[in-house]
């Protein structure tokens, strides 16, 4: 089997929710032919959107024509749905199909047990910034050597892509990059509320806080300077920033809560597996 991607190869996508849609949109921007993508979802509104874009759309597996061979099967369903309904998709898998699962916590062996026709599984943990091409995706596969170029090409338009060599590491990946955007969104929420508490007009306080976060993130990305040095560079002795940081860093409470947050998310990922 070729480890490269032909942009006309047939791709099956099961699940057109936020992540499935983000991946599809990334593929379309990358030049994957809409006519090569077959989408199964029970949301008629979502199917209408993608049907209008030229994708083949189906409300159920029963509607997919017999005899089609898919090079890639993207599984973008929630874990609890997979447990109940995955087996029905077995007939759509050929010996050369690469199953790509973006379901958090669902282990490779679970997928192999539920889909006897599957020979090759790649687990990928993306995150929601993939919707704007700024995502972080991490993959694991025992067949990595066969599909490395294929998977990296398919996920290139979604942001950064990395591999791990041990599936157990996917629990930590889920806790950091998979769940991480939500942690930062919560910090942004707290920062906005703190800004508004300082008697600034509410909308102005929100813009001030959010644009400060966005600018700081861009500085991290573009400066190449490590975050500790960036923090030190902006902290004048006995100045306002030092006063604020001393309050924030008091007793290492924030650091400990961030660590506890990641540990709890990893623990939950292990439980889901």
């Amino acid at each position: 089997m070729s480890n490269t991607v032909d942009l006309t190869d047939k791709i099956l996508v099961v699940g057109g929710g936020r992540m499935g849609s983000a991946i599809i949109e990334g593929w379309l921007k990358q030049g994957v032919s809409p006519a090569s993508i077959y989408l199964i979802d029970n949301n008629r509104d979502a199917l209408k959107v993608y049907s209008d874009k030229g994708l083949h759309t189906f409300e159920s597996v029963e509607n997919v024509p017999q005899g089609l061979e898919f090079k890639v099967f993207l599984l973008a369903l929630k874990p609890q749905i997979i447990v109940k309904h995955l087996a029905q998709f077995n007939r759509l898998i050929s010996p050369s199909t690469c199953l790509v699962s973006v379901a958090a916590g669902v282990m490779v062996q679970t997928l192999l047990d539920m889909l006897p026709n599957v020979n090759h599984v790649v687990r990928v943990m993306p995150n929601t910034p993939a919707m704007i091409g700024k995502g972080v995706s991490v993959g694991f596969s025992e067949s990595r050597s066969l599909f490395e170029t294929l998977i990296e090409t398919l996920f290139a338009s979604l942001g950064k892509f990395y591999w791990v060599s041990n599936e157990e590491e996917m629990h930590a990946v889920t806790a950091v990059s998979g769940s991480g955007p939500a942690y930062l969104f919560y910090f942004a929420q707290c920062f906005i509320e703190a800004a508004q508490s300082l008697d600034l007009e509410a909308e102005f306080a929100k813009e001030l806080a959010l644009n400060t976060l966005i600018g700081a993130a861009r500085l991290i990305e573009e400066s190449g300077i490590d975050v500790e040095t960036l923090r030190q560079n902006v902290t004048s002795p006995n100045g306002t920033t030092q006063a604020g940081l001393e309050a924030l860093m008091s007793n290492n409470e924030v650091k400990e809560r961030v660590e506890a947050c990641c540990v709890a998310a990893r623990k939950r990922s292990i439980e889901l597996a």
Side-chain angles (χ1 to χ4, degrees):
M1 161 146 189
S2 171
N3 68 348
T4 60
V5 60
D6 180 340
L7 297 182
T8 63
D9 283 326
K10 290 183 178 63
I11 298 173
L12 175 65
V13 179
V14 177
R18 286 193 183 94
M19 191 52 63
S21 295
I23 294 171
I24 290 171
E25 292 295 338
W27 288 345
L28 295 177
K29 290 176 184 176
Q30 186 177 333
V32 174
S33 168
S36 71
I37 302 176
Y38 294 69
L39 171 64
I40 302 175
D41 196 285
N42 58 12
N43 184 326
R44 292 184 178 181
D45 292 335
L47 293 182
K48 176 67 166 58
V49 169
Y50 284 110
S51 178
D52 290 345
K53 292 186 177 185
L55 278 68
H56 303 273
T57 58
F58 309 92
E59 286 189 44
S60 69
V61 65
E62 290 80 11
N63 301 132
V64 180
Q66 297 280 349
L68 293 175
E69 289 200 7
F70 298 99
K71 184 167 188 176
V72 174
F73 175 170
L74 175 70
L75 183 60
L77 296 176
K78 294 179 180 179
Q80 58 269 33
I81 297 176
I82 286 175
V83 171
K84 293 181 180 179
H85 302 292
L86 187 59
Q88 64 183 306
F89 300 106
N90 192 59
R91 75 167 183 86
L92 300 177
I93 297 168
S94 70
S96 60
T97 300
C98 176
L99 175 66
V100 181
S101 171
V102 296
V106 181
M107 306 293 280
V108 167
Q109 191 57 53
T110 299
L111 297 168
L112 291 172
D113 290 343
M114 297 185 72
L115 295 168
N117 287 351
V118 169
N119 290 326
H120 310 289
V121 177
V122 178
R123 279 188 64 191
V124 176
M125 173 51 62
N127 62 12
T128 52
M131 292 187 287
I132 59 167
K134 288 290 186 178
V136 175
S137 300
V138 180
F140 166 78
S141 178
E142 294 176 354
S143 305
R144 173 177 169 179
S145 60
L146 293 175
F147 299 102
E148 187 165 358
T149 302
L150 169 67
I151 298 302
E152 290 176 3
T153 301
L154 286 175
F155 282 87
S157 62
L158 304 182
K160 303 289 187 181
F161 188 91
Y162 305 92
W163 290 98
V164 293
S165 56
N166 185 328
E167 189 175 12
E168 289 299 316
E169 293 178 82
M170 293 295 282
H171 297 302
V173 167
T174 300
V176 177
S177 60
S179 300
Y183 314 153
L184 296 179
F185 298 152
Y186 178 65
F187 180 84
Q189 177 187 341
C190 294
F191 195 31
I192 291 168
E193 292 172 358
Q196 292 172 339
S197 75
L198 300 177
D199 298 325
L200 295 172
E201 189 274 325
E203 191 60 30
F204 174 58
K206 177 181 178 180
E207 290 190 19
L208 203 61
L210 288 181
N211 284 309
T212 298
L213 291 173
I214 293 166
R218 290 293 297 273
L219 184 60
I220 293 172
E221 180 181 40
E222 297 182 12
S223 70
I225 302 171
D226 68 89
V227 291
E228 183 175 3
T229 300
L230 286 172
R231 174 177 61 78
Q232 292 170 347
N233 288 347
V234 77
T235 308
S236 301
N238 299 315
T240 59
T241 305
Q242 181 175 326
L245 282 172
E246 286 177 353
L248 182 66
M249 299 168 70
S250 175
N251 298 319
N252 280 329
E253 288 181 3
V254 172
K255 181 179 180 181
E256 289 174 0
R257 298 323 306 160
V258 171
E259 290 176 353
C261 158
C262 292
V263 168
R266 181 180 64 177
K267 179 182 177 182
R268 183 56 179 154
S269 176
I270 294 170
E271 291 171 352
L272 288 172

